[in-house]
Amino acid sequence: MRPVALVAIGALAACQMMTAAAETPADREAEILKTATSLANAGTWDNVGLQFVEDLTTEIGPRLAGSPDEKRARDWAVAELTEMGFANVHVEDFTVPYWKRTHETARVVGASAQPLIITALGGSAPTPEGGLEADIVRFELLADMLAADDVDVAGKIVFIDEYMTRTQTGAGYGLAVAKRAACPKAAAAKGAVACLIRSVGTDHFRRPHTGGIDRRGPDGVAKPMGPIPAAALSAPDGDQLARLLERGPVTVNLDIGVETADAAPSGNVIAEVEGGANKDEIVLLGCHLDSWDLGTGAIDDGAGCGIVVGAAKLIDQLPGKPDRTIRVVLYGSEEIGLFGGDAYARQHADELDKHVLASESDHGASYIWQFQTKFGEGALDYANKIQGVLARYGVAAGDNLAGGGPDIGVLARSGVPVVTPAQDGWDYFDYHHTPDDTFDKIEPDAFRQNVSVYAAFAYIAAESGWDFRKPADPEE
Amino acid sequence: MRPVALVAIGALAACQMMTAAAETPADREAEILKTATSLANAGTWDNVGLQFVEDLTTEIGPRLAGSPDEKRARDWAVAELTEMGFANVHVEDFTVPYWKRTHETARVVGASAQPLIITALGGSAPTPEGGLEADIVRFELLADMLAADDVDVAGKIVFIDEYMTRTQTGAGYGLAVAKRAACPKAAAAKGAVACLIRSVGTDHFRRPHTGGIDRRGPDGVAKPMGPIPAAALSAPDGDQLARLLERGPVTVNLDIGVETADAAPSGNVIAEVEGGANKDEIVLLGCHLDSWDLGTGAIDDGAGCGIVVGAAKLIDQLPGKPDRTIRVVLYGSEEIGLFGGDAYARQHADELDKHVLASESDHGASYIWQFQTKFGEGALDYANKIQGVLARYGVAAGDNLAGGGPDIGVLARSGVPVVTPAQDGWDYFDYHHTPDDTFDKIEPDAFRQNVSVYAAFAYIAAESGWDFRKPADPEE
């Protein structure tokens, strides 16, 4: 399905033509900020980005890293972005260790025989055919399991019942995710036969959250899978298991099947709004194209792709080229360990110093409430000016500690200035990595506010000539 | 786990002793209403009923009609009710046609290949091994499918995309459930190979709602299964299928496995608070013990059982016997066609005229907001007096059109007076018949208000000597 035509191009064009006619630097800056505001206003009624997400999640659906589905998504995105008129649309290939679930069940055996709803964690080892059966040993916290004596864990299925805190920023995730990443290796080292965790999520619904485990081998290199089977219980199933354990020992049969491959094809899809005089300078807008297999990857991260594609398209529809190039990167294989981000940094090592700004949208599609930066100290006034434009869309000023996003973390660490337009994460982890990551969970008005914000700051970054690396003035 | 001891028995005993000492009929009525109020107050801090639901849903879990799990639940309930001190605890057996799912998957095939999340409807026929594959024909309403030409349906999978309306009373269910019941037989008659329906539910989560279909044969007798495979899609999957159909024809592979038996054991569990002088007169408090297999049957209908058991136990803890017998009936096999209710009416045909009042709790555990009756016109003043007690617990007066509840509908139709303490059904159908029908969905304070209401009206009915069949006074 084709994106709908953008309205109000005439108004945008008029603004940009006025920009071109401006004479003093202050006039020119004022006109750039005015055009950015017009772009943001256009974003509030834009459907291009939203249609991109709808089409991706409907026509492709789940896009597991390294899978044929992810390949279908790349092909689809190349065709779509080309038809939308972007420049230099292409795929940059790389390979990833591949893991896919084939079946997953768990059931309590004995007097209270009943099913438990689980989902295998990405990188789970398979169980033997027909499942493995063992007693449960429960720990309230990952730390408790790490501190436990081997004898209390050996031969058992470890159950880490740690909760996640709901926060606006999503900061609860960083804490809660530790149990998911660490359990298999740590429990295996103590002789456990499998790991169960309470889902890393903030909801209380009966569909567990998947997500990756640490599957690096002793050499530090990621393998297709970890040492033992590992799965998440939904929150109600975590409650149930805890209640059963209050009544006595509980034995569980866990049956997980997987397919793996040492190397499977993945890739980053790239599309550009080519710049003018300084087209070798890059404003990078990222998202990730892959998703977990349970949902259709709408909030994680089809929305992010729709937001950056929609924003870039708004800028592309201005009559003149922006001064710098806006590069949209739809990263591959983010979910299993930021493979796309690493590949991009490797493949573009020679031009990282030409990346003047980068940002990635990967936290759903709720309203942006804060504009964080990681700029040189001398560039903070630019942050203030951008936030001045965004303020009317409900975006507050943020700190200068932005990470930018998962796939561009590697760019930030190499000195590329980044911004994080922080989205409200209050209910993001109700759906994250579950079957309920579907298109209906995107609130259109909030999504469009994101398009507005990305279009505005990206345009300013591409047109202003500002150096976001600028160090503090030694005179001050 | 044993129920916790009830507090405040001393206060209740004092009330009842005062009742016994009352002399005039008006005094006696006032004392009965006062004791009922004391019982209701005790209900607001009671844990017996809630513990009953927790234990049932935890230690037994799902209790599919006719299954070994339902048998385990009967055995558990007999032991539990006996230990709680109820009288005449026993099971009344009957048999039911048996149906059980063994597997269920659906996937779109072709260019937009992706899984759809379904659940087989109770009584679905199986598909051939490996599934059946056919094009989808979508109807917005059941009525549209019923009106369709056979040629547009034959050889296809019918998809009925009808929505359900959210209401306080739950009245939307009666309308929406028609598609679930009727689709298989009606679609099969037109040559369809299978039925898919948008779940009968009000949520937008990715776990579909099961429920029974009409599986009566031409002889009007229920069979283990209907004519063709039938399944429900979750609401987001219904959306997805509709979006895909906007883009072109959609082919789906549907794979459903079932086990059936013509006759499987089920039964009603009965326990009594034996009455005094008029112990042959029955106040019946019902619920159903069976559940669908997806959840643990907490709101449907473990809660109902906890409410009536908790209420009866409060009355049982009074120092003297009530005048009439309070009979708790935990019906079996409600979900597949009210088999327990029918069996009870058959097995107790001789004493139905001795049933002075009946009520069944089977609509979750949210607050009761209205007290409906189906009394003789001359007994409506009794309804007012009962509601006067309940008003302080937030219960309004209702009409005299109560149905009483599914399993006791047969009693109501035979002339037994019934009451429906109407529960708020606003979110009941978010969880109903899904895996999310679990203990955590019960709000303890609302549950206890239900215990209060049942204890109050049951006590009044058992102690007052009122004739709820009383016809209108011909003088008036």
Side-chain angles (χ1 to χ4, degrees):
Chain A
M1 188 167 284
R2 300 300 317 139
V4 299
L6 182 78
V7 286
I9 293 303
L12 289 172
C15 283
Q16 203 186 44
M17 285 165 70
M18 287 170 66
T19 302
E23 307 224 350
T24 71
D27 281 351
R28 175 154 170 73
E29 180 178 303
E31 289 302 332
I32 289 171
L33 298 182
K34 193 171 165 188
T35 300
T37 299
S38 298
L39 283 164
N41 283 340
T44 62
W45 61 68
D46 182 49
N47 278 326
V48 173
L50 199 58
Q51 190 68 54
F52 189 88
V53 194
E54 180 184 319
D55 291 350
L56 172 64
T57 57
T58 301
E59 296 169 19
I60 307 300
R63 308 172 295 282
L64 186 68
S67 71
D69 295 328
E70 196 197 22
K71 169 71 163 66
R72 273 199 300 135
R74 285 194 297 279
D75 293 346
W76 175 92
V78 165
E80 194 78 8
L81 295 166
T82 301
E83 191 172 342
M84 290 170 79
F86 284 105
N88 306 327
V89 179
H90 66 284
V91 176
E92 296 179 353
D93 295 319
F94 54 89
T95 61
V96 295
Y98 180 62
W99 175 95
K100 177 194 171 184
R101 78 189 79 238
T102 55
H103 66 265
E104 52 193 18
T105 60
R107 56 191 167 84
V108 174
V109 299
S112 293
Q114 58 187 287
L116 294 171
I117 300 186
I118 61 157
T119 191
L121 297 176
S124 168
T127 62
E129 194 82 20
L132 63 79
E133 206 162 292
D135 284 351
I136 299 286
V137 54
R138 174 178 176 272
F139 297 98
E140 298 241 339
L141 301 172
L142 170 63
D144 295 340
M145 193 275 283
L146 297 177
D149 289 336
D150 292 5
V151 68
D152 295 326
V153 171
K156 294 188 175 162
I157 299 172
V158 160
F159 168 39
I160 301 183
D161 202 11
E162 188 166 333
Y163 282 59
M164 175 171 166
T165 304
R166 185 186 293 276
T167 68
Q168 180 183 4
T169 61
Y173 185 63
L175 299 170
V177 81
K179 70 181 173 192
R180 190 184 79 205
C183 185
K185 274 164 76 166
K190 292 175 188 286
V193 296
C195 268
L196 289 177
I197 62 166
R198 175 179 286 268
S199 280
V200 179
T202 46
D203 63 296
H204 224 271
F205 291 109
R206 205 131 179 247
R207 29 91 182 129
H209 299 237
T210 191
I213 62 168
D214 178 2
R215 31 179 160 153
R216 287 170 298 179
D219 57 0
V221 176
K223 307 291 189 268
M225 63 189 188
I228 54 175
L233 291 159
S234 82
D237 289 271
D239 293 351
Q240 185 80 336
L241 190 49
R243 277 193 300 264
L244 284 166
L245 286 162
E246 285 171 11
R247 288 160 169 79
V250 178
T251 305
V252 165
N253 180 293
L254 184 67
D255 191 0
I256 293 174
V258 309
E259 281 175 19
T260 61
D262 287 339
S266 187
N268 297 324
V269 177
I270 294 187
E272 291 181 347
V273 180
E274 203 171 43
N278 289 298
K279 69 177 180 183
D280 59 327
E281 295 181 6
I282 309 295
V283 175
L284 187 151
L285 302 182
C287 66
H288 68 85
L289 189 59
D290 67 307
S291 77
W292 282 106
D293 51 339
L294 302 180
T296 60
I299 61 166
D300 187 15
D301 184 31
C305 292
I307 289 163
V308 298
V309 166
K313 186 63 198 165
L314 278 177
I315 297 169
D316 189 47
Q317 287 173 308
L318 293 170
K321 293 182 175 192
D323 183 54
R324 293 161 165 166
T325 293
I326 292 172
R327 179 177 292 170
V328 172
V329 184
L330 282 54
Y331 289 101
S333 295
E334 186 269 352
E335 293 292 3
I336 61 169
L338 313 180
F339 284 88
D342 287 344
Y344 181 90
R346 208 165 50 238
Q347 292 163 350
H348 295 265
D350 291 348
E351 59 167 356
L352 291 192
D353 60 337
K354 292 287 191 183
H355 284 63
V356 299
L357 188 72
S359 185
E360 181 174 8
S361 176
D362 182 23
H363 195 53
S366 289
Y367 286 98
I368 294 167
W369 64 281
Q370 191 185 45
F371 187 71
Q372 292 179 290
T373 57
K374 181 65 182 172
F375 287 175
E377 291 292 321
L380 292 181
D381 190 43
Y382 303 147
N384 291 336
K385 288 177 178 174
I386 295 172
Q387 190 266 328
V389 171
L390 303 182
R392 73 192 69 186
Y393 302 95
V395 182
D399 58 30
N400 197 36
L401 300 168
D407 287 295
I408 66 169
V410 58
L411 302 183
R413 288 190 295 277
S414 79
V416 175
V418 297
V419 301
T420 297
Q423 293 160 304
D424 178 3
W426 188 252
D427 65 1
Y428 181 63
F429 294 102
D430 289 350
Y431 307 116
H432 178 257
H433 293 190
T434 76
D436 262 311
D437 181 0
T438 47
F439 182 66
D440 53 295
K441 306 308 182 301
I442 295 175
E443 206 272 277
D445 283 347
F447 178 94
R448 292 190 184 101
Q449 184 248 22
N450 279 260
V451 174
S452 293
V453 168
Y454 273 79
F457 82 74
Y459 175 75
I460 295 169
E463 194 68 7
S464 63
W466 292 342
D467 172 17
F468 300 103
R469 286 177 170 85
K470 188 177 172 188
D473 186 341
E475 304 277 307
E476 288 176 14
Chain B
M1 189 168 281
R2 301 300 317 139
V4 298
L6 182 78
V7 285
I9 294 300
L12 290 172
C15 284
Q16 203 187 44
M17 286 164 72
M18 287 169 69
T19 302
E23 307 226 348
T24 73
D27 282 352
R28 174 151 171 77
E29 181 178 302
E31 288 304 331
I32 290 172
L33 298 182
K34 192 171 166 187
T35 301
T37 300
S38 298
L39 282 164
N41 283 340
T44 62
W45 62 67
D46 182 50
N47 277 327
V48 172
L50 198 59
Q51 189 69 52
F52 189 88
V53 193
E54 180 183 320
D55 291 350
L56 173 64
T57 57
T58 300
E59 296 169 19
I60 306 300
R63 308 173 295 282
L64 186 67
S67 71
D69 296 327
E70 197 197 22
K71 169 71 162 67
R72 272 200 299 136
R74 285 194 297 281
D75 293 346
W76 175 91
V78 165
E80 194 78 6
L81 295 166
T82 302
E83 191 171 344
M84 289 170 80
F86 283 104
N88 306 326
V89 179
H90 66 284
V91 176
E92 296 179 352
D93 295 319
F94 53 89
T95 62
V96 295
Y98 179 63
W99 175 94
K100 177 195 172 183
R101 78 189 77 239
T102 56
H103 66 266
E104 53 193 17
T105 61
R107 56 191 167 82
V108 174
V109 299
S112 293
Q114 58 187 287
L116 294 171
I117 299 185
I118 60 157
T119 191
L121 296 176
S124 168
T127 63
E129 194 81 21
L132 62 81
E133 206 162 291
D135 285 351
I136 299 286
V137 56
R138 174 178 175 272
F139 297 99
E140 297 239 340
L141 301 172
L142 170 64
D144 296 340
M145 193 275 282
L146 297 177
D149 289 337
D150 291 6
V151 68
D152 295 326
V153 172
K156 295 188 175 162
I157 298 172
V158 162
F159 168 39
I160 301 182
D161 201 12
E162 188 167 333
Y163 283 59
M164 175 171 167
T165 305
R166 185 186 293 275
T167 67
Q168 181 183 4
T169 61
Y173 185 63
L175 300 170
V177 81
K179 70 181 174 192
R180 191 185 78 205
C183 187
K185 274 164 76 168
K190 292 176 188 284
V193 297
C195 268
L196 289 176
I197 62 168
R198 176 179 286 268
S199 279
V200 179
T202 46
D203 63 297
H204 224 271
F205 291 109
R206 204 130 180 250
R207 30 89 181 131
H209 299 237
T210 193
I213 62 167
D214 177 2
R215 32 179 160 152
R216 287 170 299 178
D219 57 359
V221 176
K223 308 290 188 266
M225 64 188 186
I228 54 175
L233 291 157
S234 82
D237 289 270
D239 294 351
Q240 184 81 336
L241 190 48
R243 277 193 300 264
L244 285 165
L245 287 163
E246 286 171 11
R247 287 160 170 79
V250 178
T251 306
V252 164
N253 180 293
L254 185 67
D255 192 359
I256 293 174
V258 308
E259 282 175 18
T260 62
D262 287 338
S266 187
N268 297 324
V269 177
I270 295 186
E272 291 181 347
V273 179
E274 203 172 43
N278 289 299
K279 69 178 179 183
D280 60 327
E281 296 183 4
I282 309 295
V283 175
L284 187 152
L285 302 183
C287 66
H288 67 85
L289 189 60
D290 68 306
S291 76
W292 282 106
D293 51 339
L294 302 179
T296 59
I299 62 167
D300 187 13
D301 184 30
C305 292
I307 289 163
V308 298
V309 166
K313 186 62 198 166
L314 278 177
I315 297 169
D316 189 47
Q317 286 173 310
L318 293 169
K321 293 183 178 194
D323 184 53
R324 293 160 165 167
T325 292
I326 293 172
R327 179 178 293 170
V328 173
V329 184
L330 284 52
Y331 289 101
S333 295
E334 186 269 352
E335 293 292 3
I336 61 169
L338 314 180
F339 285 88
D342 288 343
Y344 181 89
R346 210 165 48 238
Q347 292 164 349
H348 294 266
D350 291 347
E351 59 167 356
L352 291 192
D353 61 337
K354 292 291 191 181
H355 284 63
V356 298
L357 188 71
S359 185
E360 180 175 6
S361 176
D362 182 24
H363 195 52
S366 290
Y367 286 97
I368 294 168
W369 64 281
Q370 191 185 45
F371 187 71
Q372 292 179 290
T373 57
K374 181 66 181 171
F375 287 175
E377 292 293 320
L380 291 181
D381 189 45
Y382 304 147
N384 292 336
K385 287 178 178 173
I386 295 172
Q387 190 265 327
V389 171
L390 303 182
R392 73 192 70 187
Y393 302 96
V395 182
D399 59 29
N400 196 36
L401 300 167
D407 288 295
I408 67 168
V410 58
L411 302 184
R413 288 190 295 278
S414 79
V416 175
V418 299
V419 300
T420 297
Q423 294 160 303
D424 179 4
W426 189 252
D427 65 0
Y428 181 63
F429 293 102
D430 289 349
Y431 308 115
H432 178 256
H433 293 190
T434 76
D436 262 311
D437 180 0
T438 46
F439 182 66
D440 52 296
K441 306 307 182 302
I442 296 175
E443 206 271 278
D445 282 347
F447 178 93
R448 291 190 184 103
Q449 184 247 22
N450 279 262
V451 174
S452 293
V453 167
Y454 274 79
F457 82 73
Y459 175 75
I460 295 169
E463 193 67 7
S464 62
W466 292 342
D467 173 16
F468 300 103
R469 286 176 169 86
K470 189 178 172 189
D473 187 339
E475 304 275 309
E476 289 176 16

